[in-house]
């Protein structure tokens, strides 16, 4: 039983670490709101569990009980506010202020009254107030679910889990010498489920902001297949970048990627398979390419990447190698048009790619000309072992960039 309990709590804390890692990745991709909320959820849940499991260096039982009571009330209020915001119930500024003020007053009143109560009674009151806030949040979630909010049903189960966890933590803290193993098991499982579901709700609720930002930036030029600029919008981007380049000359790194076997894929499996392949390849590119590099769809079979202020050719070559390594991994394509069977696609496909890389230093070079050169180089690179072609500035010829094998530098 003890090993099972230790394992479950280890899984819980491991889950919070994974969520923190995901929050760091989201922050790196400039998704600051998502990362902040996910990190706050993970840290609050982990600290709450550590405190109630007796992991804090507080020797006095009464002082520990009073601290846990305050922690329960403050954390419950904070998570209740966060849940309301996640469900989109606090869009109006005045309502946000009222809710924040009401929750703050609840915390102040409970802490003031609890100060005059015995420590254990204060702890019991803190747990009770936390459960009442959870029940209020549960009612709000049920109301949102009744009105058709898709994520509200997930939030309902999440709040039920935190209600169970609160009761379990309260029992552990109030009956520390009589703690039953079953209580630890139920509390750990409920805590894990809460963290998982709340992270899912956060991501699902704010994921649309990513696409909305792209739609607002690209307008009609937004390509829903790749979630990038469309081919026409990429042409506008090239014109704007090279116009700025002529005003303030700084080397531009151009990477053109061509996928050679899309036509064969379409002939074998249809246009849906091509869209699926583009969707997967574009997703890999978006996750790999840093935010400061401009990117868009190019033609029917390629992508364009532009690195501004490319002072070092090594940076653009390393980027090309990373892209080549990531996109040449096998893909399991969905070729079934039936929506109920979209996750059962079993067509394994590997992109045959070629990458053309060049650095533009001459302000007189036209953007369309530079892209055309990169596109021709990418098609030539398909026949190279490394799949990467480089425009040698000294000779003006296209040369292959050698493959980097493990152990080479």
């Amino acid at each position: 039983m003890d090993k099972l309990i230790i394992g479950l709590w280890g899984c819980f804390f491991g889950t919070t670490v994974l969520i923190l890692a995901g929050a760091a990745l989201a922050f790196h991709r400039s998704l600051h709101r998502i990362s902040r909320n996910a990190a706050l959820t993970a840290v609050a849940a982990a600290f709450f569990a550590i405190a109630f499991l007796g992991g804090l260096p507080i020797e006095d039982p009464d002082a520990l009980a009073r601290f846990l009571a305050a922690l329960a009330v403050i954390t419950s209020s904070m998570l209740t506010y966060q849940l309301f915001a996640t469900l989109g119930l606090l869009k109006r500024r005045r309502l946000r202020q009222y809710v924040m003020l009401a929750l703050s007053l609840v915390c102040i009143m409970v802490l003031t009254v609890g100060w005059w109560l015995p420590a254990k009674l204060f702890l019991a009151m803190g747990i009770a107030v936390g459960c009442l806030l959870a029940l209020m949040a549960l009612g709000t979630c049920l109301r949102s679910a009744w009105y058709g909010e898709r994520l509200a049903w997930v939030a309902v189960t999440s709040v039920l889990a935190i209600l169970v966890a609160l009761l379990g933590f309260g029992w552990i803290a109030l009956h520390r010498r009589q703690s039953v193993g079953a209580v630890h098991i139920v509390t750990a499982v409920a805590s894990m489920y809460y963290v998982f579901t709340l992270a899912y709700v956060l991501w699902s609720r704010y994921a649309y902001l990513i696409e909305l930002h792209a739609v607002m930036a690209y307008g009609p030029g937004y390509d829903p297949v790749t979630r990038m600029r469309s081919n026409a919008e990429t042409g506008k981007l090239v014109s704007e970048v090279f116009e700025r380049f002529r005003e303030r000359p700084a080397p531009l790194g151009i990477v053109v990627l061509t996928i050679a076997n899309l036509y064969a894929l379409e002939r074998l499996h249809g246009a849906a398979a091509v869209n699926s392949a583009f969707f997967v390849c574009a997703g890999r590119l978006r996750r790999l390419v840093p935010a400061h590099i401009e990117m868009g769809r190019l033609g029917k079979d390629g992508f364009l990447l532009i690195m501004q202020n490319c002072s070092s050719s090594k940076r653009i070559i390393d980027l090309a190698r990373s892209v080549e390594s990531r996109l040449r991994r096998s893909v399991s394509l969905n070729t079934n048009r039936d929506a109920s069977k979209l996750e059962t696609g079993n067509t394994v496909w590997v992109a045959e790619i070629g990458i053309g890389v060049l650095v533009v230093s001459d302000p007189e070079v036209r953007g369309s000309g530079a892209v055309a050169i990169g596109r021709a180089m990418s098609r030539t690179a398909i026949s190279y072992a490394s799949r990467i072609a480089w425009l040698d500035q000294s000779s003006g010829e296209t040369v292959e960039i050698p493959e980097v094998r493990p152990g080479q530098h």
Side-chain angles (χ1 to χ4, degrees), residues 321-376:
R321 281 175 169 154
S322 299
V323 168
E324 187 273 338
S325 175
R326 180 68 63 89
L327 264 65
R328 286 190 68 190
R329 297 176 185 174
S330 61
V331 178
S332 181
L333 296 180
N334 295 311
T335 57
N336 197 320
R337 292 177 180 267
D338 187 351
S340 64
K341 300 178 180 179
L342 282 179
E343 296 181 356
T344 61
N346 55 1
T347 301
V348 178
W349 176 77
V350 178
E352 291 292 333
I353 66 172
I355 300 176
V357 185
L358 66 152
V359 174
V360 180
S361 303
D362 185 0
E364 299 300 322
V365 174
R366 294 173 59 87
S368 58
V371 173
I373 293 172
R375 195 156 176 75

Side-chain angles (χ1 to χ4, degrees), residues 56-277:
L56 296 180
I58 302 177
E59 300 296 336
D60 185 5
D62 288 348
L64 178 60
R66 292 184 182 279
F67 177 81
L68 294 179
L71 179 64
V73 175
I74 294 172
T75 304
S76 299
S77 301
M78 180 187 68
L79 293 180
T80 300
Y81 179 86
Q82 185 186 32
L83 179 65
F84 290 166
T86 301
L87 291 175
L89 303 176
L90 303 179
K91 295 179 180 179
R92 289 181 296 171
R93 182 179 179 183
R94 187 176 296 276
L95 182 58
R96 287 199 304 270
Q97 292 175 344
Y98 283 151
V99 172
M100 187 176 293
L101 178 61
L103 291 174
S104 300
L105 288 175
V106 168
C107 290
I108 293 171
M109 289 175 59
V110 172
L111 296 178
T112 302
V113 172
W115 183 260
W116 302 100
L117 297 176
K120 283 200 171 184
L121 185 57
F122 182 22
L123 175 56
M125 185 178 71
I127 295 295
V129 171
C131 290
L132 287 175
L133 288 174
L135 288 172
M136 182 179 68
L138 180 62
T140 305
C141 294
L142 287 171
R143 178 180 177 274
S144 297
W146 178 262
Y147 283 106
E149 175 61 47
R150 183 176 58 86
L151 293 174
W153 287 115
V154 181
V156 166
T157 60
S158 176
V159 175
L160 284 173
I162 197 58
L163 188 59
V164 172
L166 270 173
L167 293 172
F169 280 123
W171 177 274
I172 292 170
L174 290 170
H175 304 85
R176 199 168 296 280
R177 296 180 181 178
Q178 308 169 19
S179 292
V180 181
V183 176
H184 277 275
I185 292 173
V186 172
T187 305
V189 172
S191 300
M192 274 192 292
Y193 183 81
Y194 166 74
V195 172
F196 268 125
T197 53
L198 192 56
Y200 170 77
V201 169
L202 282 171
W203 180 262
S204 300
R205 185 68 192 180
Y206 295 125
Y208 80 97
L209 292 176
I210 307 169
E211 190 149 7
L212 177 61
H213 179 268
V215 170
M216 292 173 64
Y218 309 148
Y222 176 69
D223 178 31
V225 176
T226 60
R227 295 174 67 185
M228 297 180 184
R229 296 175 176 87
S230 66
N231 186 44
E233 189 68 18
T234 300
K236 294 179 183 178
L237 167 69
V238 172
S239 300
E240 293 172 359
V241 168
F242 273 81
E243 186 176 341
R244 291 196 300 267
F245 172 57
R246 281 187 286 273
E247 294 174 357
R248 298 179 181 177
L252 292 176
I254 307 292
V255 176
V256 178
L257 179 123
T258 298
I259 305 175
N261 55 342
L262 288 177
Y263 178 75
L265 180 65
E266 183 176 8
R267 297 290 292 178
L268 288 171
H269 300 287
V274 174
N275 290 333
S276 178

Side-chain angles (χ1 to χ4, degrees), residues 26-45:
F27 190 87
H28 176 68
R29 301 295 296 180
S30 301
L31 306 176
H32 295 166
R33 189 179 182 183
I34 296 172
S35 62
R36 182 178 64 248
N37 288 336
L40 183 63
T41 299
V43 170

